[in-house]
Amino acid sequence: MMKVYHRLILLAASNITKSAAVVHNVHICKSSYRTYWETNVCGRQFNVACLSHFCTRTEQDELCWEGPNHDIMLKRLESALLDCKDYEAWPIFSKFTSLYGFPPPAILSKLISGLSYSSDHSSLPKACNLIFKVAKENSELLEHDSLSRLCLSLVRAQMPVLASKVLRLMVQRNCVPPVDVLCSVFMHMVKTEAGTCLASNILLEICDHFHYLTEKRSECAMSMKPSTTIFNLILEACVRSGSSLKGQQIIEAMARIRAVADVHSVLLFTYTYEMNGLRDELKKLKEYVDQVSLPLARHYVHFYDKLLSLHYDFDDIDAAASLVTDIYLLWGSRPLHPNEELMKPCKVPIGSPYLKEGLKVQVMFELLQKDFVVHVKGQEEYVALKNGKLILTSKGLARLIVKYKRRGRITEFSKLLVAMQKNMGTAQEENLCCDVIHACIDSGCLETAHDILDDMDMANMAVPTSTYMLLLNAYREENMSKEAEALVKQIKRTGLLIDASDEIMVSKCISGVVHGSVVEPNTSRQSELTEFLIVEMKWGYNKAPSKVYELNSSMYFFCKAKMMEDAQTTYRKMQELKIQPTVQTFAHLVQGYLSLEMYREITILWGDIKRFMDHGCSLANRDLYELLLLNFLRGGYFERVMEILHHMKEHSMYADRWMYNQEFIRLHKNLYRKLKAMDVRTEAQRLRLEHVKAFRKWVRNN
């Protein structure tokens, strides 16, 4: 019997040695040995203590039966996490995982939270790798709170790429962080260009996922719906970084998921539409903004400023004059109390209101939420708020004067000026007409100044003698004797010359004896206005010819209505007129072709874009590149994909690899996966295989 026991001991020792080699000489699967003893020793009780010489002292406790050791390690792990000893918790966790798999969700959540708040920044990537591993093997173990905390810690540590991966993992699990946490995450992300790109793309993905869950009538759909504050936060980042095309997508996403816009949203819509040259979209908003109560109206100053800017860009002087009239006449007629109709969501169309599939964004024009403030306002360019009233700035007034002057419509301008003058309430600004005349004289526009003087007389507007003297002196300096004599007759006719001393002063002014002594000193507004008048007459403010704005506006309408033949005709007209297209020109066309899945036509557009860029046209825009890249991925044009990625790299533009990879997996997951270079049949297939491999390699470097 002793020999049998001796053999069993040797056999057990041999098995232990072999097993220890497999599990790195430490970790032994205790349950298998327990089963071995129970089934092979015929029920005899065997003293386990005799095996103790096979173990070291530190490992002896871990060679106990499974139950006690499992519980001991869990307690040690919990204790280390409770004491915030990350350096102890991680080795215990690693050892536990190799033996028993992942711990319960509660403990796993504590570990992720501990790593998230660790002072060691290397703990954050470690936590990310852990959650992606858990998500791959058993995603049910991950708790939303721990993922939210990790995401917030990553953006605070300026790791937006890792944070975006965690956020996207949560979206795939039909959840997002709580609204306040998500706001904080996005607020940190949008501090950089890469973070703004990622945040805007993730918001669009959340909207798409919410729309999908809503159609499926999922119970968790409403928890995925982004708040108005989040939309405002991302929209502001897009405006600040100049991502106008992405901003337009965000606005359309708001309409698609029926998010309600507020006062801040309207202001951000205004900036986005102005950058994209979408004047008609601002006109739709204006009919509501004009009805906003006086206390809230001051928040819409920039709306009127940007709308007037677009009227100038379109070279639409009649629309500009109409808006200026509204600014001066309608401001004081606003109600003092909120308009009840505007306190409810108003549906404002995006694109043509006659489209069957057109979008409508819901806006509450009287809703001002205090949890967000727009920081991109800057200084008003053409319209400003002064003494509680809207007025034209010197720059806005100068541009208006020059546009009327170039059309020979000074009489109409004078009527507008008289209307503006009559509605100026403060004594300080009662000399608006005189300031305009003086600025015209100082800038050399003597004929214009004289025409305005005549119109002032016809309208029975009082003009000081000093204004006539200033013009008379300017005529003398320019040796314009005939004009001077005509002005003297006009002065006498108006009855401004009362006594002989006035007659003598006029005579001296004509003969050149008197210089500037009869002229009152310039006001600050007059000096400012003179400066802007000179610049406007010499250079102008047009960023592009007005015709391009009109043609782009037409293309936008045709592309939204999927009338691509008309859009192509407009594009050809632009080429015939030798008008240089803008980023918006190509963006409208690309989106129109995308709606009809006409990918080949987009490749032709890409050729046009490259030709224009070769001739110095500024079309290197990240939003446009992203739009083209996504469409080429969908169409399978991988040579074009790699070409655009090369252009983005040349211009140091961030590329959202995760998004492109997801699109690739969705459509081309197994493309050429088993095909080798030696098996290709044509040169075209060989090149395409190379481009697909190059794209896969680029994506893996994320």
Side-chain angles (χ1 to χ4, degrees), residues 110-179:
K110 290 179 182 178
L111 176 64
I112 295 171
S113 298
L115 293 172
S116 300
Y117 296 124
S118 173
S119 57
D120 183 7
H121 280 349
S122 64
S123 297
L124 291 174
K126 191 183 295 183
C128 287
N129 292 333
L130 171 60
I131 66 167
F132 293 135
K133 183 179 180 182
V134 175
K136 188 175 181 180
E137 296 182 18
N138 186 2
S139 62
E140 297 298 324
L141 294 174
L142 293 173
E143 294 185 349
H144 299 163
D145 290 344
S146 59
L147 295 179
S148 298
R149 284 191 286 270
L150 174 59
C151 194
L152 189 56
S153 297
L154 286 167
V155 291
R156 284 173 175 167
Q158 298 181 356
M159 298 180 181
V161 177
L162 287 177
S164 69
K165 290 182 177 181
V166 177
L167 261 182
R168 281 163 161 160
L169 174 63
M170 296 184 73
V171 173
Q172 290 175 348
R173 290 162 51 84
N174 297 338
C175 69
V176 290
V179 173

Side-chain angles (χ1 to χ4, degrees), residues 559 564 584-596 598 601-602 605-606 609 624 627-629 631:
C559 292
M564 294 313 297
Q584 284 71 29
T585 305
F586 291 110
H588 297 332
L589 290 170
V590 170
Q591 289 171 329
Y593 287 132
L594 168 64
S595 65
L596 299 174
M598 299 170 68
E601 282 72 11
I602 299 176
L605 272 183
W606 172 235
I609 292 172
L624 180 60
L627 195 58
L628 287 164
L629 207 156
N631 283 284

Side-chain angles (χ1 to χ4, degrees), residues 241-252:
S241 63
S243 296
S244 59
L245 300 179
K246 185 67 70 175
Q248 184 69 26
Q249 288 180 283
I250 299 293
I251 295 172
E252 292 177 3

Side-chain angles (χ1 to χ4, degrees), residues 419-663:
M420 293 164 61
Q421 177 75 70
K422 288 181 177 178
N423 285 278
M424 304 290 279
T426 59
Q428 190 178 8
E429 292 177 314
E430 286 178 356
N431 293 323
L432 176 64
C433 294
C434 292
D435 286 344
V436 170
I437 296 170
H438 289 190
C440 288
I441 295 170
D442 291 342
S443 59
C445 301
L446 303 185
E447 185 181 353
T448 302
H450 202 153
D451 289 343
I452 297 175
L453 261 177
D454 292 342
D455 294 330
M456 295 298 105
D457 287 341
M458 293 289 292
N460 296 320
M461 294 288 293
V463 179
T465 307
S466 59
T467 301
Y468 288 94
M469 294 299 108
L470 183 66
L471 181 56
L472 195 58
N473 196 43
Y475 280 147
R476 180 200 60 79
E477 290 178 353
E478 295 294 329
N479 295 318
M480 301 171 67
S481 57
K482 290 183 179 180
E483 288 80 0
E485 290 176 4
L487 182 59
V488 170
K489 291 178 181 179
Q490 184 178 347
I491 294 173
K492 291 179 178 179
R493 188 170 60 251
T494 57
L496 289 175
L497 301 181
I498 301 174
D499 51 33
S501 61
D502 291 330
E503 293 274 4
I504 295 170
M505 186 178 293
V506 171
S507 300
K508 287 181 178 181
C509 188
I510 296 174
S511 61
V513 177
V514 179
H515 296 286
S517 58
V518 297
V519 181
E520 293 181 358
N522 292 352
T523 64
S524 59
R525 176 167 187 142
Q526 178 189 327
S527 301
E528 229 179 39
L529 189 54
T530 302
E531 181 183 341
F532 283 119
L533 267 176
I534 294 171
V535 173
E536 175 67 28
M537 287 187 294
K538 189 174 182 179
W539 302 107
Y541 288 108
N542 276 339
K543 295 168 281 187
S546 58
K547 197 67 179 176
V548 77
Y549 288 96
E550 295 176 16
L551 295 173
N552 278 351
S553 184
S554 298
M555 267 189 278
Y556 175 74
F557 169 79
F558 291 137
C559 292
K560 282 290 182 184
K562 301 182 181 180
M563 300 165 63
M564 294 313 297
E565 289 185 6
D566 296 286
Q568 287 173 338
T569 302
T570 307
Y571 178 56
R572 284 194 294 269
K573 183 179 180 181
M574 184 180 289
Q575 292 174 316
E576 290 169 2
L577 295 172
K578 295 183 180 180
I579 294 175
Q580 186 172 288
T582 63
V583 169
Q584 284 71 29
T585 305
F586 291 110
H588 297 332
L589 290 170
V590 170
Q591 289 171 329
Y593 287 132
L594 168 64
S595 65
L596 299 174
E597 299 184 359
M598 299 170 68
Y599 301 115
R600 185 176 177 277
E601 282 72 11
I602 299 176
T603 63
I604 298 171
L605 272 183
W606 172 235
D608 289 351
I609 292 172
K610 288 189 292 183
R611 279 193 295 275
F612 278 111
M613 286 195 294
D614 290 340
H615 287 84
C617 185
S618 179
L619 295 172
N621 180 276
R622 197 195 65 79
D623 289 349
L624 180 60
Y625 282 151
E626 181 180 286
L627 195 58
L628 287 164
L629 207 156
L630 284 170
N631 283 284
F632 287 147
L633 271 176
R634 290 165 186 169
Y637 294 95
F638 288 94
E639 182 178 0
R640 305 287 176 267
V641 167
M642 298 311 298
E643 210 174 342
I644 292 175
L645 288 175
H646 176 70
H647 277 267
M648 294 181 75
K649 185 178 180 181
E650 276 188 339
H651 291 91
S652 302
M653 295 176 181
Y654 179 78
D656 189 354
R657 298 177 192 239
W658 188 93
M659 181 176 68
Y660 303 134
N661 188 40
Q662 289 299 111
E663 197 70 16

Side-chain angles (χ1 to χ4, degrees), residues 317-510:
I317 190 65
D318 293 324
S322 177
L323 179 60
V324 170
T325 302
D326 289 346
I327 286 173
Y328 280 87
L329 295 181
L330 299 181
W331 186 263
S333 62
R334 293 175 181 273
L336 293 175
H337 302 288
N339 188 326
E340 292 185 5
E341 292 299 320
L342 299 184
M343 294 181 71
K344 302 174 184 176
C346 305
K347 294 183 179 180
V348 183
I350 296 176
S352 173
Y354 305 108
L355 296 178
K356 292 182 180 179
E357 300 177 1
L359 294 171
K360 291 184 178 181
V361 62
Q362 298 186 62
V363 185
M364 293 178 66
F365 291 89
E366 292 275 4
L367 175 63
L368 182 64
Q369 301 187 84
K370 296 182 180 180
D371 57 351
F372 179 80
V373 178
V374 177
H375 297 287
V376 294
K377 292 179 181 179
Q379 191 172 1
E380 294 88 353
E381 192 174 16
Y382 300 121
V383 179
L385 185 67
K386 189 172 183 180
N387 298 324
K389 291 187 176 183
L390 282 186
I391 62 167
L392 280 186
T393 63
S394 297
K395 185 176 181 179
L397 189 55
R399 195 163 193 194
L400 194 65
I401 294 168
V402 172
K403 283 191 172 293
Y404 271 109
K405 180 180 180 297
R406 286 174 179 169
R407 287 166 177 75
R409 297 167 57 182
I410 290 299
T411 301
E412 294 177 39
F413 170 73
S414 299
K415 291 178 180 177
L416 178 62
L417 190 61
V418 169
M420 293 164 61
Q421 177 75 70
K422 288 181 177 178
N423 285 278
M424 304 290 279
T426 59
Q428 190 178 8
E429 292 177 314
E430 286 178 356
N431 293 323
L432 176 64
C433 294
C434 292
D435 286 344
V436 170
I437 296 170
H438 289 190
C440 288
I441 295 170
D442 291 342
S443 59
C445 301
L446 303 185
E447 185 181 353
T448 302
H450 202 153
D451 289 343
I452 297 175
L453 261 177
D454 292 342
D455 294 330
M456 295 298 105
D457 287 341
M458 293 289 292
N460 296 320
M461 294 288 293
V463 179
T465 307
S466 59
T467 301
Y468 288 94
M469 294 299 108
L470 183 66
L471 181 56
L472 195 58
N473 196 43
Y475 280 147
R476 180 200 60 79
E477 290 178 353
E478 295 294 329
N479 295 318
M480 301 171 67
S481 57
K482 290 183 179 180
E483 288 80 0
E485 290 176 4
L487 182 59
V488 170
K489 291 178 181 179
Q490 184 178 347
I491 294 173
K492 291 179 178 179
R493 188 170 60 251
T494 57
L496 289 175
L497 301 181
I498 301 174
D499 51 33
S501 61
D502 291 330
E503 293 274 4
I504 295 170
M505 186 178 293
V506 171
S507 300
K508 287 181 178 181
C509 188
I510 296 174

